[in-house]
Amino acid sequence: AEEVGGGDKEVVREYFTNDGFQRWKKIYGDTDDVNKVQLDIRIGHAKTVENVMQMLTDEGSLRGVTVCDAGCGTGLLSIPLAKEGAIVSASDISASMVSEAQSKAKEALQGKDDVQIPKFEVSDLESLNGKYDTVVCLDVLIHYPQSKADGMIAHLASLAENRLILSFAPKTFYYDLLKRIGELFPGPSKATRAYLHSEADIERALQKVGWKIRKRGLTTTQFYFSRIVEAVRA
Ligand code: SAM
């Protein structure tokens, strides 16, 4: 049976503070000490970030737009958002991730004109409050079963004034992914498991709180799948 409640979250926090942090820092970095699978995931994830930046900028300039990057990881989305002039509030459940993101952002953004360095905070997304024009949550839902994802989506929607962008591993690729899942979480620390979400379930969770999907995107590489949805108030 799937564990619900606090269980998943504590396991995820522990993972992304320690072993998972080391592993994902490498995948999300730019050094060449990655294996073939990790490199593929790095490339896939970069495409997701690119797609999301495209979706966001298609609707107009981001200058002065407030954006919440929930589960920001090492800041790979927060940094390009800030470069486009967005006022970014970035947070993550893992203190290791937040401090890595903070130093990456400083390195990339300090001294640049018209750029505000994102405000970083250690927080799980369920504890975030405030209002943002746009809320983005990339590749976080994969760590939670649908039973938890519904509440996470409802909370993220409550923070957003105009736009909510989510990415998740789509269930369509379930059988494909099953074959590869061992490679996604290799080594002794198989502490976290991956949950796939059906697009219909995500859509239903959004509808329940009065939101509808406006745009959809999909990123696939050999080992990486991510469905992107942009939702607005219905
Ligand atoms: N969004 C980032 C990106 O796309 O570059 C990072 C994606 S990474 C696969 C998942 C991140 O979600 C990790 O940094 C993890 O610590 C964070 N995370 C997991 N559960 C969370 C939660 N409940 N609240 C906030 N962050 C969470």
Side-chain angles (χ1 to χ4, degrees), residues 12 16 28 45 71 73 92-93 97 124-126 138-140 144:
V12 169
F16 279 107
Y28 289 155
H45 176 266
D92 198 284
I93 197 172
M97 285 290 185
D124 58 23
L125 64 87
E126 296 86 342
L138 295 192
D139 293 3
V140 176
Y144 298 93

Side-chain angles (χ1 to χ4, degrees), residues 9 12-13 16-17 24 28 45 49 69-77 91-94 97 123-126 137-140 142-144 152 167:
K9 197 154 82 178
V12 169
R13 188 201 312 276
F16 279 107
T17 306
W24 286 94
Y28 289 155
H45 176 266
V49 170
D69 181 5
C72 65
T74 60
L76 285 176
L77 178 71
S91 54
D92 198 284
I93 197 172
S94 154
M97 285 290 185
S123 171
D124 58 23
L125 64 87
E126 296 86 342
C137 184
L138 295 192
D139 293 3
V140 176
I142 187 166
H143 304 297
Y144 298 93
M152 296 168 83
S167 75

Side-chain angles (χ1 to χ4, degrees), residues 47-62:
K47 283 197 202 173
T48 292
V49 170
E50 215 175 281
N51 289 344
V52 168
M53 288 304 296
Q54 190 67 52
M55 266 188 185
L56 284 169
T57 51
D58 274 354
E59 299 296 320
S61 165
L62 290 175

Side-chain angles (χ1 to χ4, degrees), residues 210-229:
W211 288 66
K212 62 168 191 234
I213 296 178
R214 170 167 76 179
K215 282 186 216 160
R216 296 163 209 264
L218 179 68
T219 311
T220 65
T221 59
Q222 210 182 344
F223 297 99
Y224 175 93
F225 312 98
S226 198
R227 166 64 84 191
I228 306 163
V229 298

